């Protein structure tokens, strides 16, 4: 059995399990004896003849793990009876970094669970996944978990039986355990290794690697100030960056850089690990461009690492803002090997005014923009993640006045902070 799987099994009874229902996580744990605890919320509404299963992805290879998890939902939806309900699930060791594994929780309300079990048996024989069955005991007052094992390509349930009991919510949302160098990258090497390992499965990965700067080159600080303008769509970033370019005689760059545009649609289809590594490398390409332009003139950048990190953190963590990593967490610290700007301005706008401006544009929306529109909690998480990033932190500017007034305010900031 693979090393990761062995490690997971050795600590199985110490793990906490989380199932998302209607966007909120519900937690349970397992124990060898039962002390008459109440039934966990996840199991309370299962029909009398219903059966539950969990699937958790456990490959040693993080690329394979990410790809398989990304494809697993489709496999299940295509193969399971329509009476089955599928919910996102994870398992973790409390407060242990990189201990999170992801998968799905299945409630099978069909007349017979045989077709579901056939599909799960096929999965366990060939794919990096742990499968558990959950049984109702004593007229629904108890539930037990049975972990399936592999034996000569035949699936069987282990004789080990665990009782399922409620668990308190952890101090921080479990997804925060795996954010570093998984959802957000903090070094060139970490992101580079992910894309490099994708070469066999994503032909376009080689094109990305060819565009990257040499890490052997000296990283000297630009002679001129570097100013980043951040903010959600329709807050006036394009208007402001172009005005600053003209008034300061500055170079204007954008992140992700133009050279990655033909590849974005391809990598946007990939699971978060690969997609985030792609955009992280885009920041290093932009940094090289900044280094070149900043020797001759001030540089204005339309979005940079703050955007990459804020959106990734807000996507990785579900629920209200309080689920985000705490202020001061290393998650919000600027990568030590990425060029630091002189000033970062975050444009903010009343949500209704921003929606009005988006409607006036009449443009098609990105997937993230649609998510911002339909999910207020996601928007609040993005905005708060922006505010918590340090090294440098954002200076917040209200973008509701006229474009000229916003320009004047930002020019005053630049004079004060950058002496331009």
């Amino acid at each position: 059995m693979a090393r990761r799987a062995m490690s997971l099994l050795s600590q199985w009874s110490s793990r906490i399990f989380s199932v998302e229902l209607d966007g909120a996580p519900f937690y349970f744990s397992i124990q060898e004896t039962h002390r008459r605890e109440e039934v966990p919320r996840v199991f309370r509404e299962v029909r009398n003849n219903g059966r539950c299963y969990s699937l958790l992805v456990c490959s040693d290879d993080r690329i394979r793990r990410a790809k398989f998890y990304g494809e697993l939902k489709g496999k299940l939806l295509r193969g399971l009876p329509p009476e089955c309900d599928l919910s996102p699930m994870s398992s973790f060791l409390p407060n242990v970094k990189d201990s999170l594994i992801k998968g799905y929780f299945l409630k099978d309300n069909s007349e017979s669970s045989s077709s579901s079990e056939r599909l799960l048996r096929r999965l366990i024989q060939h794919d990096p996944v742990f499968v558990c069955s959950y049984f109702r005991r004593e007229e629904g007052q108890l539930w037990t978990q049975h972990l399936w094992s592999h034996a000569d390509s035949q699936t069987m349930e282990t004789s080990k039986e665990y009782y399922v009991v409620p668990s308190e919510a952890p101090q921080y949302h479990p997804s925060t355990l795996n954010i570093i160098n998984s959802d957000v990258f903090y070094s060139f090497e970490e992101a580079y290794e992910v894309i490099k390992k994708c070469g066999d499965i994503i032909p376009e990965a080689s094109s990305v690697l060819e565009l990257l700067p040499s890490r052997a080159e000296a990283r000297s600080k630009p002679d001129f100030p570097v100013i980043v303008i951040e903010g959600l769509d329709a807050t006036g970033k394009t208007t402001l960056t172009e005005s600053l370019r003209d008034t300061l005689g500055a170079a204007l760059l954008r992140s992700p850089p133009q050279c990655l545009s033909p590849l974005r649609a391809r990598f946007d289809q990939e699971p978060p690990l690969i997609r985030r590594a792609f955009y992280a490398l885009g920041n290093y390409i932009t940094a090289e461009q900044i280094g070149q332009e900043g020797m001759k003139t001030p540089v204005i950048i339309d979005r940079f690492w703050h955007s990459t990190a804020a959106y990734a953190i807000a996507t990785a963590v579900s629920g209200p803002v309080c689920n985000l990593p705490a202020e001061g967490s290393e998650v919000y610290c600027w990568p030590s090997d990425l060029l630091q700007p002189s000033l970062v301005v975050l444009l903010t706008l009343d949500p209704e005014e921003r929606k009005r401006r988006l409607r006036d544009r009449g443009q098609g929306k990105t997937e993230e923009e649609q998510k911002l529109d339909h999910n207020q909690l996601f928007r609040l998480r993005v905005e708060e993640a922006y505010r918590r990033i340090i090294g440098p932190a954002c200076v917040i500017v209200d973008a509701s006045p006229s474009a000229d007034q916003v320009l004047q305010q930002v020019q005053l900031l630049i004079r004060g902070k950058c002496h331009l």
Side-chain angles (χ1 to χ4, degrees), residues 73 233 264-272 275-276 279 303 311 315 354 358 363-375 378-379 382:
K73 185 176 182 179
D233 282 356
R264 287 181 68 177
R266 176 66 181 84
F267 281 89
D268 281 345
Q269 299 170 14
E270 295 299 325
R275 187 168 71 248
R276 301 302 182 190
Y279 282 108
R303 287 187 167 173
Y311 276 88
T315 301
R354 199 179 69 84
L358 280 170
Q363 295 175 345
K365 295 179 184 177
T366 63
E367 182 179 340
E368 283 186 332
E369 195 49 57
Q370 290 174 341
K371 194 172 178 182
L372 284 169
D373 267 5
H374 294 119
N375 189 333
F378 177 65
R379 177 177 57 77
V382 172

Side-chain angles (χ1 to χ4, degrees), residues 56-82:
L56 293 161
V57 183
C58 61
S59 170
D60 284 342
D61 184 333
R62 68 193 301 218
I63 304 297
R64 187 185 180 204
R65 195 161 70 237
K67 289 286 286 183
F68 179 71
Y69 175 72
E71 296 164 357
L72 179 57
K73 185 176 182 179
K75 287 184 178 183
L76 294 171
L77 290 176
R78 288 191 298 271
L80 290 170

Side-chain angles (χ1 to χ4, degrees), residues 325-340:
E327 284 191 69
S329 165
E330 59 188 324
V331 165
Y332 302 115
C333 293
W334 191 270
S336 59
D337 63 350
L338 183 63
L339 185 148
Q340 287 190 8

